[in-house]
Amino acid sequence: MFTLDPQLEADTLPVTDMRLCTVRLMNDANYPWAILVPQRGEMADLIDLEPADRATLALEADAVSRALKSLTGCHKLNVAALGNVVRQLHVHVIARFEHDPAWPAPVWGKVAAKPYSGVEGETFAAELAAAIREH
Amino acid sequence: MFTLDPQLEADTLPVTDMRLCTVRLMNDANYPWAILVPQRGEMADLIDLEPADRATLALEADAVSRALKSLTGCHKLNVAALGNVVRQLHVHVIARFEHDPAWPAPVWGKVAAKPYSGVEGETFAAELAAAIREH
């Protein structure tokens, strides 16, 4: 039984569901930043997944990575499973630019989130969903 | 042709070589912190790997994760491919504790590295190599 963590839900916009993961867009216009959440019961670490799910997660994170890179032309991808604050297993895929507000540091805890304005977030989420389907 | 990045080499101690990755121990006693470096030519992002190597990397990162967890009894694992500073593709696997110096933040840029003293680093690297062989 899967329920999205309320904090993850509050911080993000829906993008699409893949075979294993629900994909969300972090509501932070500072960085094109997706989060993949495996739709499984209570799990905290990558090694908690069944082997087949673990393999699927890697494929899905790669598809989201390629989609973000093709949409944004980013300089680098950051892919991370941390989960020290929000325990529910989730993987960050972040498109990084040499001119972004945290570069070259990791994004966490650097600058306050800048929520998307108007329909900007929903529009980008829809573009990302379409790009994921192509990758 | 693979050559370990000089910065990664300087910051770490050797642990063991797996099928794809050479495993190193970050010379920072603040956290039990391994780095996996795929022994392949110039690559920066996970999506640069061939699909078979990408699958192997996930398996090897999981084996190192299980080894670190069984050795240390950590509360959480952090697994990340960032590479904004050192470009050569590498994956961090970090055993986190609720009492470690950066908790709950990610480890990067929080506190200065605390090099292992005496043979402490080599001893832990040898224990980690043995644990990886069991996982």
Side-chain angles (χ1 to χ4, degrees):
Chain A
M1 183 64 192
F2 172 77
T3 313
L4 184 62
D5 176 273
Q7 185 67 54
L8 287 181
E9 184 164 24
D11 293 345
T12 60
L13 303 166
V15 174
T16 191
D17 283 354
M18 303 181 79
R19 191 151 64 86
L20 175 63
C21 295
T22 185
V23 184
R24 311 279 303 188
L25 177 68
M26 189 68 93
N27 191 11
D28 184 352
N30 286 311
Y31 323 95
W33 180 348
I35 290 179
L36 290 86
V37 189
Q39 298 174 96
R40 292 291 181 262
E42 305 238 337
M43 306 210 157
D45 285 309
L46 293 171
I47 56 173
D48 296 338
L49 288 166
E50 295 294 326
D53 283 346
R54 176 67 177 92
T56 301
L57 176 58
L59 292 172
E60 294 185 352
D62 285 4
V64 172
S65 296
R66 283 190 291 266
L68 270 178
K69 188 173 182 180
S70 71
L71 273 182
T72 69
C74 60
H75 301 127
K76 188 72 190 70
L77 291 158
N78 288 176
V79 179
L82 304 176
N84 305 333
V85 178
V86 171
R87 200 79 180 174
Q88 184 175 63
L89 178 60
H90 59 287
V91 176
H92 302 269
V93 180
I94 311 157
R96 300 299 308 275
F97 294 86
E98 289 165 11
H99 56 266
D100 74 34
W103 185 268
V107 297
W108 301 277
K110 275 289 157 184
V111 299
K114 189 172 94 180
Y116 286 103
S117 59
V119 297
E120 205 186 9
E122 285 79 0
T123 302
F124 184 60
E127 289 171 353
L128 181 56
I132 289 169
R133 281 189 289 274
E134 289 165 18
H135 290 89
Chain B
M1 183 63 192
F2 172 77
T3 313
L4 184 62
D5 176 274
Q7 186 68 54
L8 288 182
E9 184 164 23
D11 292 345
T12 60
L13 302 167
V15 174
T16 191
D17 283 354
M18 303 180 79
R19 191 150 64 88
L20 174 63
C21 295
T22 185
V23 183
R24 312 276 305 186
L25 177 67
M26 189 69 94
N27 191 12
D28 184 351
N30 287 312
Y31 323 94
W33 179 349
I35 291 179
L36 290 85
V37 188
Q39 299 173 95
R40 291 290 181 263
E42 304 238 337
M43 307 210 156
D45 285 309
L46 293 171
I47 56 172
D48 297 338
L49 288 166
E50 295 293 327
D53 283 346
R54 177 67 177 91
T56 301
L57 176 58
L59 292 172
E60 294 185 352
D62 285 3
V64 172
S65 296
R66 283 190 291 264
L68 270 179
K69 188 173 182 179
S70 71
L71 273 181
T72 69
C74 60
H75 301 126
K76 188 72 190 71
L77 291 158
N78 288 177
V79 179
L82 304 177
N84 306 334
V85 178
V86 171
R87 201 78 179 173
Q88 183 174 63
L89 177 60
H90 59 288
V91 175
H92 302 269
V93 180
I94 311 158
R96 301 298 308 274
F97 294 86
E98 289 165 11
H99 56 265
D100 75 33
W103 186 267
V107 298
W108 301 277
K110 274 289 157 183
V111 298
K114 189 173 94 181
Y116 286 103
S117 59
V119 296
E120 206 186 8
E122 285 80 359
T123 302
F124 184 60
E127 289 171 354
L128 180 56
I132 289 169
R133 280 188 289 274
E134 288 164 19
H135 290 89

